[in-house]
Amino acid sequence: MGCPWTIRVFVVSRIREAAHRGIPTRQAIYEGVTTSAGVVTIAAVIMTSVFASFLFVGLTEMKEIAFGLGLSVILDAFIVRIMILPAIMTLLNNHTWWPSHPAHLISGPVRNDGSQTKVGQPR
């Protein structure tokens, strides 16, 4: 299931972009979640409705799989992405971004347009 990964990357990317603009972490989390909440909700509704359509198939195994996948998408989108992810990121505060610091030391910071700056070169 690739959509939950896509949703996770989308939400965290919005939060990361806000943090890179210099917004405090707590406000960046709020802004990232609120700007991506509509997309997360629509993606979850679409995937759940697709899985719900399989509930009308005559195969019991297909119904079980469809119900499980639909329920997991709803739980993932609304509980994990909208509640647990922001709570954990808020608790971690500035330590949320620690994995990206070694990458900046090796390759240099990446500009907003996608190009890299050399180490020691002004942004």
Side-chain angles (χ1 to χ4, degrees):
M1 288 190 21
C3 192
W5 280 98
T6 306
I7 292 171
R8 180 180 304 149
V9 168
F10 185 72
V11 172
V12 174
S13 294
R14 294 292 167 256
I15 296 169
R16 182 73 171 157
E17 288 170 2
H20 269 295
R21 289 194 310 262
I23 298 174
T25 303
R26 182 171 282 209
Q27 183 64 29
I29 292 167
Y30 176 78
E31 184 178 316
V33 170
T34 55
T35 57
S36 62
V39 175
V40 170
T41 303
I42 294 299
V45 168
I46 291 170
M47 287 188 65
T48 303
S49 63
V50 169
F51 293 137
S53 69
F54 290 117
L55 293 174
F56 301 107
V57 176
L59 299 171
T60 305
E61 294 85 8
M62 188 70 96
K63 289 179 181 181
E64 292 172 354
I65 292 171
F67 179 77
L69 287 174
L71 184 63
S72 68
V73 167
I74 289 173
L75 290 175
D76 183 65
F78 295 110
I79 303 297
V80 175
R81 302 290 172 249
I82 304 298
M83 296 173 68
I84 295 176
L85 178 72
I88 290 173
M89 291 181 85
T90 301
L91 289 174
L92 291 174
N93 201 9
N94 290 331
H95 300 290
T96 301
W97 312 117
W98 72 267
S100 64
H101 291 298
H104 285 288
L105 295 174
I106 295 169
S107 64
V110 177
R111 294 182 177 158
N112 288 341
D113 63 357
S115 62
Q116 289 186 339
T117 59
K118 297 190 190 274
V119 178
Q121 180 184 5
R123 292 184 182 185

